[in-house]
Amino acid sequence: MSTLFIDGRWVAASAGATRQVINPYDRSVVREVDEADTLDARTAVAAARAAFEDGEWPGWPARRRSALLYRVAELLQRDRAEIARLETLDTGKTLVEGGIDVDDVTGVFRYYATQAESDPGRLVDAGDPSVRSRVIYEPLGVCALIAPWNYPLLQMCWKVAPALAAGNTLVLKPSESTPLTTIKLTELIEEAGAPPGVANLVLGPGGTVGSFLVDSPEVDMVSFTGGLETGSAIMSQAARTVKKVALELGGKNPNIVFADADFEAAIDYALIAVFFHAGQVCSAGTRLVVEDSLHDRFVDELVRRAERIRLGNGLDPDTESGPLVSDEHRDKVESYVEIGINEGARLLTGGRRPDDPALRDGFFFLPTVFDDCTSDMRVVREETFGPILTVERFTDVDTAVRIGNDTTYGLAAAVWTADAGRAEYVARRLRHGTVWINDFGPYLPQAEWGGFKRSGVGRELGHAGLAEYQEPKHIYENTAPEPQRWFAR
Ligand code: NAD
């Protein structure tokens, strides 16, 4: 089956190009997919434009769009096992993680289904009884949705669900290395009954296909999740056509642990925070910021448990963590070990590839812990996007906050303490888009997600996540017009 979806048809790339999708566990070829070029991207944009201008979709009442989203949610659950398996083969993550992703995005589709049909706009009091003023929310038009490889299904759904709820037409562009679940998602949107041209799919490199979408004057908005440098380039490129951009970029997220925290829970979550999905999580808790008096006991136990994490095939139920996504990415993660050591950080465990011959073909890297770190080190400041934890210490609450905010990013943070007043004080002062108290990681479809500072522009999820895909329009109606006689009296 061809894997580009343009104007309601599955088609091959116009130039006949293909790409092999590689399983990061053993480098086997999972599937060959079609590889679009800018000509295919142009056709996809034209289809989305035509569907928005002339198709039946703009005439669909909100209730019908809502029903489509509910149907996609149902189909995601129907095919849950298959989708989880595809995500494992594509990214290396465990089947359990893939299943959690499917459940999460089902919730996101359901949430935006409710939003789609409960957004009639608002009346505005003009202060004049003869004026009827209201603000309604219209779709932007054609939206290009560009997603990364670490959560291919989840990040794409965070965009697709609100963009469809708002009535836009779409061109989806997943990461070239992890397209499988986005192909499946597009099939489900088609099966749910979206008209031709409403959701188009192009697969291909960011530098050509992605860049074309950002440049195209026929695209009204780009919603991007990915790295800081790419996001920054997209923002300046989009300026040429004064396109709206929404950016979800990286994070260097502090996990602040006070000595009075529940030890067992804090340790357990500290491990999950950084080593879940081999650290390839934008909101990973890669910076442990721990109170001095707790430091030795906490870090010793953390290292002991990190060394027991079972790496392996994501399809094996005993596996606790899979490989990194690619050889190239592993090289990048590995380079931070030398950087950290040269900066004076003390390597406590990991820092290399595993010896286990069973893992030889995969892109595995051992859970790694660096102690004696300071906020000025590159290994602390830059996103390694791998299983590397850095440890910093503090002695008082204001120092903890200062360290937690000492980053150019601002995506997520956590604070662990038994003192509710202190927890609230720290949570209020941290400059991050999400702050967890005595927890790490959860998000809710109905609560905004996104970054302060260089972690992004705009928000996904929640009401603001829908507003990203809408244009407010003010309709001002004079119900009793009288000549004003300003001129020509
Ligand atoms: P990336 O920036 O390399 O690529 C992301 C996407 O952009 C891919 O689809 C890629 O093909 C495309 N792309 C690349 N260059 C482009 C260009 N010039 N024009 C248009 N599109 C282009 O990111 P990645 O390596 O795939 O993903 C990892 C990054 O994503 C990390 O930095 C991570 O923190 C970030 N991320 C952020 C969030 C969040 O919610 N804030 C969530 C997940 C991942």
Side-chain angles (χ1 to χ4, degrees):
M1 187 193 105
S2 301
T3 55
L4 310 184
F5 190 67
I6 300 177
D7 206 13
R9 287 185 311 121
W10 290 97
V11 292
S14 54
T18 58
R19 173 188 291 261
Q20 293 183 331
V21 177
I22 303 295
N23 182 343
Y25 166 65
D26 59 4
R27 302 176 194 234
S28 60
V29 177
V30 184
R31 183 172 178 181
E32 199 163 83
V33 297
D34 296 292
E35 174 101 322
D37 60 16
T38 54
L39 186 62
D40 301 302
R42 187 185 299 277
T43 317
V45 169
R49 186 87 252 158
F52 187 75
E53 303 296 344
D54 311 314
E56 60 167 284
W57 174 247
W60 276 34
R63 175 153 294 218
R64 198 169 167 201
R65 290 202 303 274
S66 167
L68 177 100
L69 295 187
Y70 277 123
R71 180 74 184 129
V72 174
E74 262 174 42
L75 297 175
L76 283 163
Q77 284 301 305
R78 183 195 69 189
D79 295 345
R80 183 182 188 276
E82 180 196 345
I83 300 169
R85 189 181 159 80
L86 287 174
E87 202 73 313
T88 294
L89 295 174
D90 220 349
T91 64
K93 69 171 63 179
T94 63
L95 271 180
V96 177
E97 290 175 51
I100 293 171
D101 290 354
V102 179
D103 294 343
D104 282 356
V105 301
T106 302
V108 171
F109 269 94
R110 290 198 177 123
Y111 169 69
Y112 283 112
T114 64
Q115 294 295 297
E117 60 180 348
S118 57
D119 193 18
R122 70 178 206 275
L123 289 174
V124 177
D125 182 357
D128 176 345
S130 64
V131 170
R132 204 154 49 204
S133 161
R134 64 214 145 89
V135 176
I136 59 167
Y137 297 94
E138 297 194 344
L140 289 163
V142 176
C143 300
L145 311 180
I146 304 177
W149 47 257
N150 61 332
Y151 282 85
L153 175 76
L154 184 139
Q155 295 297 342
M156 190 55 96
C157 289
W158 284 18
K159 301 178 189 308
V160 168
L164 286 179
N168 297 281
T169 60
L170 320 177
V171 180
L172 284 63
K173 215 258 349 129
S175 168
E176 52 274 41
S177 54
T178 55
L180 300 185
T181 49
T182 312
I183 297 170
K184 178 71 191 172
L185 173 69
T186 309
E187 287 172 13
L188 298 185
I189 295 170
E190 180 192 18
E191 184 180 344
V198 170
N200 303 276
L201 170 66
V202 288
L203 311 176
T208 53
V209 174
S211 183
F212 176 89
L213 299 175
V214 178
D215 257 343
S216 169
E218 296 296 325
V219 171
D220 299 290
M221 188 257 195
V222 175
S223 176
F224 167 82
T225 300
L228 173 58
E229 279 178 26
T230 318
S232 162
I234 285 177
M235 197 169 177
S236 50
Q237 202 179 335
R240 286 185 223 147
T241 41
V242 197
K243 230 180 226 75
K244 185 170 178 188
V245 289
L247 305 175
E248 291 291 336
L249 310 177
K252 269 313 263 198
N253 313 289
N255 184 19
I256 300 173
V257 183
F258 284 88
D260 67 349
D262 178 323
F263 187 85
E264 269 306 312
I267 277 279
D268 190 57
Y269 276 85
L271 281 170
I272 297 169
V274 63
F275 297 129
F276 192 80
H277 193 18
Q280 302 165 112
V281 181
C282 53
S283 53
T286 50
R287 299 178 67 198
L288 175 65
V289 183
V290 59
E291 190 163 358
D292 200 39
S293 57
L294 178 66
H295 171 277
D296 294 358
R297 189 174 152 231
F298 199 84
V299 173
D300 284 353
E301 181 59 13
L302 199 100
V303 167
R304 195 182 72 78
R305 296 193 195 187
E307 288 174 348
R308 289 164 45 177
I309 292 175
R310 285 194 303 270
L311 305 181
N313 186 349
L315 295 177
D316 177 348
D318 286 336
T319 294
E320 293 177 329
S321 180
L324 295 168
V325 74
S326 67
D327 219 1
E328 190 190 4
H329 183 56
R330 180 170 59 176
D331 287 347
K332 181 193 145 187
V333 171
E334 199 162 30
S335 74
Y336 276 100
V337 174
E338 208 181 317
I339 290 170
I341 290 170
N342 289 340
E343 289 174 311
R346 190 155 59 90
L347 182 65
L348 298 183
T349 188
R352 59 187 174 81
R353 302 168 186 209
D355 299 324
D356 184 350
L359 305 178
R360 199 185 40 222
D361 292 336
F363 309 127
F364 288 94
F365 200 73
L366 289 175
T368 298
V369 179
F370 272 119
D371 201 0
D372 298 342
C373 296
T374 50
S375 309
D376 56 339
M377 293 177 175
R378 278 183 63 197
V379 70
V380 176
R381 303 198 76 76
E382 297 173 16
E383 202 181 34
T384 63
F385 223 55
I388 298 183
L389 180 70
T390 61
V391 184
E392 297 164 81
R393 310 176 187 224
F394 66 90
T395 47
D396 61 89
V397 62
D398 289 317
T399 309
V401 169
R402 187 184 51 69
I403 293 174
N405 284 336
D406 191 359
T407 165
T408 50
Y409 290 108
L411 187 60
V415 52
W416 289 83
T417 173
D419 179 336
R422 181 160 63 185
E424 185 67 16
Y425 174 79
V426 173
R428 296 287 181 115
R429 290 193 53 202
L430 285 171
R431 304 266 305 141
H432 295 265
T434 296
V435 179
W436 295 290
I437 297 175
N438 295 330
D439 209 314
F440 203 105
Y443 71 88
L444 301 171
Q446 59 275 34
E448 276 70 5
W449 173 268
F452 284 32
K453 301 196 266 182
R454 290 185 205 172
S455 285
V457 175
R459 288 291 181 273
E460 297 199 297
L461 306 182
H463 190 74
L466 178 66
E468 294 290 346
Y469 298 96
Q470 293 175 318
E471 289 278 19
K473 178 185 279 177
H474 178 202
I475 300 181
Y476 179 106
E477 182 183 1
N478 187 345
T479 60
E482 298 268 351
Q484 283 204 44
R485 304 194 198 293
W486 184 280
F487 295 115
R489 262 172 274 190

